[in-house]
Amino acid sequence: MQFTTRPTLSGTFGMVSSTHWLASQSAMAVLEDGGNAYDAAVAGAFVLHVVEPHLNGPAGEVPILLAPAGGEVRVLCGQGVAPAGATIEHYRGLGLDLVPGTGPLAAAVPGAFDAWMLLLRDHGTKSLADVLKYAIGYAEDGHACVENVGATVEAVRELFETEWTTSADVYLPDGKSPRPGELFRNRALAATWQRLLAEVAGAGDREAQIEAAREVWRSGFIAEALVRQAGRPTMDTSGERHTGTLTAADLASWSASYEAPATYDWNGWTLCKAGPWSQGPVLLQQLALLPPELPAYGSADYVHLLIEGCKLAMADREAWYGDADAVPLDDLLSAEYNAARRRLIDGKASHELRPGSPGGRAPRLCEHARAVAPAEPGFDPMGAGEPTVARLTADGGTRGDTCHLDVVDRWGNMIAATPSGGWLQSNPVVPELGFPLGTRLQMAWLEAGLPNSLAPGHRPRTTLTPSIALRDGVPVLAFGTPGGDQQDQWQLHFFLAVATRAKARGGLDLQGAIDAPNWHNDSFPGSFYPRGMRPGSVTVESRMDEAVVEELRRRGHDVTVGDAWSEGRLCAVARDPEAGILSAAANPRGMQGYAVGR
């Protein structure tokens, strides 16, 4: 039996896995109180806003995959669009060639709150007050912060004290940052949710109150405060103070929405992902690139194959993915296309960005992607994108991070969600609300004619990419991870470990698959400012077999050996419909993710 840090949990009542134990247990409390998986997920998500404020917030974004018992898998898109004033001409007129990594110019229309409300309205059973009470309690009465909250605040202390003083009011009370073992409170956030509940209390039944809450967010006191904040000149990563483009009309006109997932069938499994406005299809392309027979799990041949397939899929992401009508996803996943792409993988590491030509179309890379091949001075491959630990600089240059949450209930309802954005280090705290705007527009290019060009009303291509897997057409597995550009690299290794290795403990060995040594590469333009890349790079955990590391180097990979537990923060829940068993596991890396259930 493979050693694991924890057991894979099993039971029959309900399972939750998330990147913070308080969110997991709050979601479980909702299940214990008779709620379903969707009620539980909403409660857990709002707790994540409180306890992981450096990783997500209410004005961020979230893609959600849901598999109702006996129903179809759907994607609930909580990724807001670019405001009407967010044009390439406007940003270029300010002397910018990239969207700043912080500040109101990087703020899309906030998407997370409305997506959670839509989920609760359409699929939940609990009232808004029932699911918000956990977050309100932790914000009002306090919670013991994880170490990285205080570390994040300390890294931007000077910015908070000199520029973003409303953030200092919340996160540096009496000049002290949050400390492990001490209660930290965000009473402004608690007051926001308490006022929201008071305003909607007389709206009518459960659904009417949720609809009233959506209107308060879009046009009431919350919307008014968000627009005021967007209009305040704010220091950002450009070194200048800018105002944003978000208006009341932008907020009032946008809504979260449902859509069909992108899918791929592989060896009796069907993987479901968000569409190419996310990077989700990268996981599907990586599966499509695999040969009929895989090399031995964990061998140098196996790791090399997965790295090189990832490079090809991510090159296609750069050339083809975005919120555009003409993304040729069917061609990108076709057998003919992938057979030709597979022949590009040989025994040597590629150091080139090689997008394909699906359906004979010519790929187009933006100027930055063509020019950025060498890594910028100081580029940190361990901190690229949304890494497992937030990376920050004193001027507010943040890499950020993300959360994840999975739930399955006793009725068979299943959900996977990856909340992110609206980090405490992304924008100043809105003083009336207790949370900041997001920065997701930094992922769009300031060059016209690309699938991921900045354009009013278009979603910036997000890295957020939760997963649901079906076995013989039945949803059985929900999983995901923080990690920006690394998410679908880590998820591929996890999924293959689950799908191809022997079962343990009477079910899927989720914990063993999570604990296995993992890796990532940065051989493509990063999605986050300043959008560097490192051709040929591979970062591995020190637990990887030394002989495998040496063989990768012999093949031309530029290998960085990282810490033993540094690659990925995966969460997962599963159900065995035949045995009636539910299971869950969570990542030990970072020492805050937990699974609970019975």
Side-chain angles (χ1 to χ4, degrees):
M1 181 179 295
Q2 176 185 338
F3 167 78
T4 60
T5 58
R6 309 166 182 177
T8 295
L9 305 185
S10 61
T12 58
F13 180 81
M15 292 284 162
V16 182
S17 180
S18 88
T19 48
H20 196 288
W21 62 86
L22 291 179
S24 294
Q25 189 54 49
S26 297
M28 192 67 201
V30 173
L31 294 181
E32 297 283 5
D33 194 42
N36 65 20
Y38 309 115
D39 298 312
V42 176
F46 278 85
V47 171
L48 287 173
H49 298 157
V50 178
V51 300
E52 294 191 322
H54 58 314
L55 312 181
N56 78 136
E61 45 276 326
V62 59
I64 301 169
L65 267 67
L66 58 151
E72 297 287 329
V73 176
R74 300 291 288 169
V75 176
L76 177 48
C77 173
Q79 174 57 64
V81 299
T87 64
I88 292 173
E89 293 74 23
H90 176 65
Y91 287 68
R92 290 288 191 180
L94 296 172
L96 300 170
D97 55 10
L98 291 174
V99 177
T102 60
L105 275 178
V109 177
F113 179 88
D114 196 60
W116 291 118
M117 291 300 99
L118 212 58
L119 179 71
L120 184 65
R121 185 197 71 183
D122 296 343
H123 298 277
T125 64
K126 292 291 188 180
S127 71
L128 185 57
D130 285 337
V131 297
L132 283 182
K133 65 183 180 183
Y134 305 93
I136 292 172
Y138 288 124
E140 176 70 24
D141 302 325
H143 67 283
C145 284
V146 296
E147 183 177 355
N148 282 332
V149 175
T152 300
V153 175
E154 281 299 316
V156 289
R157 172 184 283 272
E158 182 178 352
L159 178 70
F160 280 15
E161 291 179 334
T162 60
E163 295 281 347
W164 296 8
T165 56
T166 57
S167 296
D169 292 341
V170 173
Y171 290 102
L172 289 166
D174 302 320
K176 297 180 180 179
S177 60
R179 298 179 182 180
E182 297 181 1
L183 290 179
F184 173 75
R185 298 171 174 85
N186 186 345
R187 290 195 170 100
L189 177 58
T192 295
W193 300 144
Q194 288 164 339
R195 180 178 173 183
L196 175 69
L197 291 176
E199 290 199 7
V200 306
D205 62 11
R206 189 187 79 90
E207 289 82 2
Q209 289 186 12
I210 295 169
E211 276 300 295
R214 297 179 71 206
E215 287 307 309
V216 171
W217 179 274
R218 291 192 288 203
S219 58
F221 79 93
I222 294 176
E224 293 167 357
L226 291 173
V227 171
R228 278 195 299 272
Q229 184 63 46
R232 294 182 176 116
T234 301
M235 179 66 70
D236 60 35
T237 51
S238 72
E240 303 289 338
R241 296 180 184 87
H242 293 113
T243 57
T245 61
L246 184 69
T247 67
D250 295 317
L251 280 165
S253 62
W254 185 83
S255 171
S257 58
Y258 294 98
E259 58 189 54
T263 63
Y264 185 76
D265 295 331
W266 183 83
N267 286 7
W269 293 82
T270 299
L271 267 290
C272 300
K273 303 290 282 187
W277 54 268
S278 75
Q279 75 172 16
V282 161
L283 180 58
L284 309 184
Q285 284 198 251
Q286 289 179 98
L287 287 172
L289 282 162
L290 295 176
E293 295 294 328
L294 292 178
Y297 176 86
S299 66
D301 286 341
Y302 177 86
V303 178
H304 175 79
L305 174 69
L306 267 58
I307 292 169
E308 293 303 301
C310 174
K311 292 175 185 178
L312 295 175
M314 293 299 261
D316 278 345
R317 182 194 74 164
E318 200 52 58
W320 300 107
Y321 289 21
D323 192 15
D325 294 333
V327 177
L329 191 56
D330 288 344
D331 288 326
L332 288 168
L333 294 175
S334 69
E336 180 182 19
Y337 177 77
N338 283 283
R341 297 284 278 166
R342 195 178 302 123
R343 289 193 288 271
L344 297 176
I345 300 175
D346 55 24
K348 295 295 184 181
S350 169
H351 289 233
E352 302 174 61
L353 192 66
R354 300 183 290 178
S357 300
R361 304 168 183 84
R364 182 179 177 189
L365 296 174
C366 71
E367 182 178 354
H368 182 86
R370 295 193 303 270
V372 78
E376 296 95 337
F379 176 67
D380 177 6
M382 295 291 286
E386 289 174 303
T388 55
V389 177
R391 304 295 176 111
L392 305 103
T393 59
D395 66 358
T398 68
R399 305 282 187 181
D401 205 339
T402 298
C403 308
H404 188 79
L405 174 71
D406 301 311
V407 188
V408 59
D409 64 28
R410 62 188 184 273
W411 300 288
N413 300 302
M414 186 175 286
I415 184 169
T418 309
S420 187
W423 310 312
L424 69 86
Q425 67 274 18
S426 64
N427 258 300
V429 165
V430 184
E432 305 93 327
L433 303 178
F435 59 84
L437 288 163
T439 55
R440 194 60 55 170
L441 288 187
Q442 66 181 288
M443 296 183 165
W445 296 113
L446 297 181
E447 182 179 338
L450 303 169
N452 192 31
S453 297
L454 180 69
H458 283 218
R459 295 168 287 191
R461 187 188 67 217
T462 180
T463 54
L464 308 175
T465 174
S467 303
I468 284 182
L470 288 65
R471 183 69 174 167
D472 298 322
V474 179
V476 296
L477 179 64
F479 60 100
T481 179
D485 296 314
Q486 288 80 48
Q487 290 180 34
D488 282 314
Q489 303 185 52
W490 294 330
Q491 289 187 69
L492 175 67
H493 184 213
F494 164 81
F495 173 72
L496 290 178
V498 170
T500 63
R501 302 183 76 188
K503 291 186 177 182
R505 303 179 193 86
L508 299 176
D509 185 17
L510 302 182
Q511 195 66 51
I514 287 173
D515 287 355
N518 218 323
W519 63 85
H520 81 269
N521 83 92
D522 298 297
S523 296
F524 44 84
S527 295
F528 291 83
Y529 182 94
R531 313 202 71 170
M533 64 182 286
R534 187 168 170 243
S537 70
V538 180
T539 301
V540 305
E541 292 181 327
S542 61
R543 295 179 296 125
M544 182 175 282
D545 188 321
E546 291 183 7
V548 172
V549 173
E550 288 309 307
E551 175 61 17
L552 292 174
R553 285 176 170 151
R554 191 191 69 78
R555 297 184 185 198
H557 295 281
D558 180 8
V559 181
T560 298
V561 178
D563 293 339
W565 297 90
S566 56
E567 291 290 310
R569 282 177 61 200
L570 282 146
C571 300
V573 300
R575 59 186 292 262
D576 183 336
E578 294 182 3
I581 299 294
L582 309 178
S583 56
N587 178 60
R589 301 162 178 89
M591 296 187 295
Q592 66 192 67
Y594 272 87
V596 296
R598 68 174 180 88

